[in-house]
Amino acid sequence: MDTGFWGRLERPIIGLAPMDGVTDAAYRLMTARHGKPSLFITEFVNVEGLARGAIKILRHLMYDESERYVVAQIYGVEPESFYKVALLVCELGFDGIDINMGCPADKIARRGSGAGLIRTPETAKALIRITKQAVSDWANGKTMEEAGIRPKIIREVKKFRDERRKNSDERRETRKINSSLVTRHSDVTRNLIPISVKTRIGYDRVIVDEWIKYLLEVSLAAISLHGRTFKQLYSGAADWEMIASAARLCKGTGTLLLGNGDIRSMEDAHAKIKSYDLDGVLVGRGTLGNPWFFVGKTPTPKEMAQAAIEHSELFEKLYPDSPFFPMRKHLAWYLKGFPGAKDLRVRLMQTNSAKEVKKLLSHEKDSGG
Ligand SMILES: Cc1cc2nc3c(=O)[nH]c(=O)nc-3n(C[C@H](O)[C@H](O)[C@H](O)COP(=O)(O)O)c2cc1C
C-alpha cells in the first residue's frame, strides 16, 4: 500500500490533533513556528455544506506551507459530497485526507456522521472507498468542473492556489529557496494522496477490535484512535490498553496506528508510544497555550506574553473579517500560570484587537520574565 507522506515521516510520529474552533490556521502557524509536530490536521470540515457551496467553510482549509505535512479533515455522510470535497482537497495541495469518525457532537453523530459511523461500518467503508475513488480520479486528471463542484467554490479554490503560488515564488526570491519541494507543492502535482481515519474506541460501549478490523478491510494509511467511546465524550480517562489492542491488530497490515487522549507532555507522548507499542500519537488539549509543546519547552512568562501578542496579530492577519473574540480563549490559556495575573486576565478577556492585547502585555513582554 502506498502510504504517501505517512511512510516518509520520522518515527515516532507526534502530531497536532484537530480541535474545531481552536486549531485554526493562526494556531497551526504559531505551532509550526515554535513547535514543529510531525504533522498538522485541519479542523473538521463538513462535506455536505461545502459541496452545496457554503463558501465560508473554505476558510477552514486555509494553511501555510510551513505546516507540511498538512492533512485536511472532513466529515459527513453523503457519498457524492465526499467525492466532490475529496477532489477539492487534492486541488488545494494537501498531503492527505483524514475522515472524522469520532466527533461526539450530538447533532453530528445523530445524523450518522462523525462517531455515528462507528454504528454503521458499511457506510463508513463506503465513504472511505468513494474518497479513494475521488483521489484516484483526480490523480488521473479529473477536474473540479467535471466533478460538478460549484463554480463559486472553484473560483475560490483557484484564488487560494494562485495566492499560494505567488507566496512561494516570493519566498523563493527572498530566501533563495531552491527547493523542488516548493515547486511541487505550489504547482500541485497530481499524486495519489493517502487517506486516514480519526475515530474512537466505540459508540456506547468499547468495540475496538471489531471496529478496527472493519476499517482494516479498506486499507487506510493510518488510524488515529482516541481512547474513549462516543458516550464518554471527554469524561473519565482515555483507555490506552484499548489503543494498544488496536495497534496489535494494525501491526504488519501497512496501516499505522496513532494513539490519542490526555497526553500532557512530550515525555508522556514518548512513554505512551513505547509502553503501548504505537507508531505515534496525536496531542490536542495538552498544547493549549503552548506553541512550544512539540519541542518540549516550558516557556517563561515573558515568552508567553510575546506568544499571545504574536498569535493575536496572526489571527487578525489571517481572519481579517472575523471578530476578535474567538482569540480571547487563547489569551486565557497563554496566561495560565502567569504570576498574579487575575486582573490582567480579566482585562484581556475584554480586548477587541491585537493592538489592545499588545498594550496590556507590553509590560510583561519587556519584564525579565
Ligand atoms: C474543542 C475541541 C474540538 C475538537 N474538534 C475536533 C475535530 O474537529 N476533529 C477531530 O477529529 N477531533 C476533534 N476533537 C478531538 C481531539 O482531536 C482529540 O481527539 C481529543 O481532544 C482527545 O485528545 P487530547 O486529550 O490530546 O485533547 C476536538 C476536541 C476538542 C477539545
Side-chain angles (χ1 to χ4, degrees), residues 67-89:
E67 290 176 42
R68 294 198 185 275
Y69 295 104
V70 60
V71 172
Q73 192 186 62
I74 58 179
Y75 78 96
V77 78
E78 274 178 23
E80 318 84 73
S81 301
F82 264 88
Y83 186 90
K84 287 179 186 172
V85 172
L87 202 119
L88 183 156
V89 164

Side-chain angles (χ1 to χ4, degrees), residues 10 17 45 50 58 70 87 101 122 126-127 166 169-170 212-213 218 230 238 281 287 291 308 320 332 348-349 351:
E10 260 179 54
V45 163
L50 200 47
L58 263 184
V70 60
L87 202 119
M101 299 192 182
E122 288 308 320
L127 295 178
K166 205 178 90 203
D169 286 348
E170 273 168 16
I212 295 297
K213 278 182 197 160
V218 275
F230 160 82
V281 292
T287 70
L348 278 169
M349 287 309 99
T351 50

Side-chain angles (χ1 to χ4, degrees), residues 17-20 22 43-44 73 100 198 226 228 234 260-264 282-286:
M19 288 182 284
D20 184 42
V22 178
E43 300 161 275
F44 65 175
Q73 192 186 62
N100 179 306
K198 182 165 176 291
H226 178 187
R228 290 185 175 88
Y234 293 94
N260 168 241
D262 307 337
I263 291 176
R264 288 289 174 263
L282 293 181
V283 189
R285 291 166 297 171

Side-chain angles (χ1 to χ4, degrees), residues 115 118-119 201-207 228-232:
I118 301 173
R119 294 210 287 190
I201 55 176
Y203 191 82
D204 43 14
R205 65 195 167 90
V206 177
I207 51 154
R228 290 185 175 88
T229 60
F230 160 82
K231 202 171 155 193
Q232 277 179 288

